[in-house]
Amino acid sequence: MSPEFWQQRWQDNRIGFNQSEVNPLLTTYFTALNLSANSRVFVPLCGKSIDMVWLVSQGYDVVGVELAESAVQAFFSEHDISPTITQSTATEHTDNPAVKCYQGLLLGQIIQLWVADIFALTADDIGQVDAVYDRAALIALPADMRLRYSEQVRQLSNNVNGDVSSDVNGNTPQLLLTLNYDQSKRNGPPFSISSGQVQQYYSNHYQITELEGKPSILNAAPELTVTEHVWLLVSK
């Protein structure tokens, strides 16, 4: 998918993927990450997700990345936050004014949202990360981008390890949500991800545990039989 595709979706307000309620799989399974208070959670391709508000309400700081600046602006506006806006000072971004950082406080926690192509950022940009929550990023990407994406998220978040793993040099744990459906009837986004593909993208670096798979409804194609899966990824 080109950056222009997602920019246009936000511009046209074709954002059916944006949910009005917190994802119940997040509230049910986030404790599996075993994070301490004030841990920092990375939310890739975050949009203006209400899930970030839930994370803040649980006492976590949030750092997100979103391609569409209008989505980031909408998040801060809808939650009555006056953000501080800065342009990245990293050398590799000096000629790219589109790379910006919006930061504010919500319920006493820090929310920092980057406006950028996720592949343009570095771990130095993102800073400390204790866990990754991927609800709608992997499933938004076509197959030829997913392996690169999974490795980029690992690189962006590998500067610290969460409490769930005993390997202090390992990879930051992730809570990953995916969808599975018959691709012959529809071919995303959101894209169908099989259990075999999850293994393909993550098994080199993570121990993968499926926490739940349950029936779900895809707003764009309610007639489809869809299963939503939640995975815990822990450093090997």
Side-chain angles (χ1 to χ4, degrees):
M1 318 294 295
S2 69
E4 292 75 20
F5 172 86
W6 293 109
Q7 297 278 11
Q8 194 65 48
R9 290 287 293 264
W10 281 99
Q11 182 176 327
D12 296 342
N13 199 35
R14 292 186 294 122
I15 52 172
F17 49 83
N18 183 72
Q19 300 299 300
S20 60
E21 297 182 357
V22 177
N23 191 295
L25 293 178
L26 169 64
T27 60
T28 300
Y29 290 108
F30 196 77
T31 55
L33 291 167
N34 194 29
L35 298 179
S36 59
N38 294 313
S39 292
R40 196 161 184 256
V41 181
F42 179 36
V43 184
L45 282 61
C46 60
K48 59 173 186 174
S49 174
I50 194 70
D51 290 356
M52 294 189 288
V53 178
W54 183 87
L55 289 168
V56 164
S57 74
Q58 303 305 299
Y60 303 117
D61 293 335
V62 171
V63 56
V65 178
E66 170 55 44
L67 189 65
E69 187 170 13
S70 59
V72 172
Q73 292 170 336
F75 177 87
F76 284 96
S77 175
E78 290 172 10
H79 299 290
D80 197 26
I81 304 169
S82 297
T84 299
I85 305 171
T86 57
Q87 184 177 341
S88 172
T89 57
T91 303
E92 59 268 32
H93 302 325
T94 53
D95 295 327
N96 187 355
V99 177
K100 299 177 183 177
C101 183
Y102 284 63
Q103 181 170 307
L105 286 176
L106 180 61
L107 302 177
Q109 302 296 141
I110 297 171
I111 291 190
Q112 183 183 86
L113 303 185
W114 285 86
V115 177
D117 182 331
I118 192 170
F119 297 108
L121 297 179
T122 69
D124 288 338
D125 293 319
I126 298 298
Q128 175 180 321
V129 172
D130 300 297
V132 177
Y133 171 57
D134 182 340
R135 180 204 169 269
L138 184 69
I139 61 175
L141 300 174
D144 61 355
M145 294 183 67
R146 293 179 204 145
L147 187 60
R148 181 187 174 207
Y149 161 80
S150 66
E151 179 60 20
Q152 175 68 353
V153 170
R154 190 179 74 85
Q155 293 293 334
L156 291 176
S157 61
N158 71 358
N159 54 343
V160 68
N161 197 57
D163 297 338
V164 75
S165 172
S166 60
D167 179 2
V168 296
N169 295 314
N171 301 294
T172 301
Q174 300 191 34
L175 194 69
L176 170 68
L177 276 59
T178 62
L179 300 174
N180 188 253
Y181 58 83
D182 184 351
Q183 291 189 87
S184 69
K185 296 182 179 179
R186 186 183 190 277
N187 187 27
F191 293 97
S192 176
I193 308 286
S194 69
S195 59
Q197 287 172 312
V198 172
Q199 293 290 330
Q200 175 189 351
Y201 306 142
Y202 295 99
S203 62
N204 284 346
H205 302 286
Y206 298 92
Q207 176 182 325
I208 301 170
T209 302
E210 182 178 1
L211 300 178
E212 184 177 341
K214 69 171 190 176
S216 184
I217 296 175
L218 189 61
N219 290 337
E223 72 283 358
L224 282 182
T225 299
V226 179
T227 306
E228 189 169 17
H229 299 267
V230 56
W231 311 87
L232 177 64
L233 312 181
V234 179
S235 181
K236 282 187 171 180

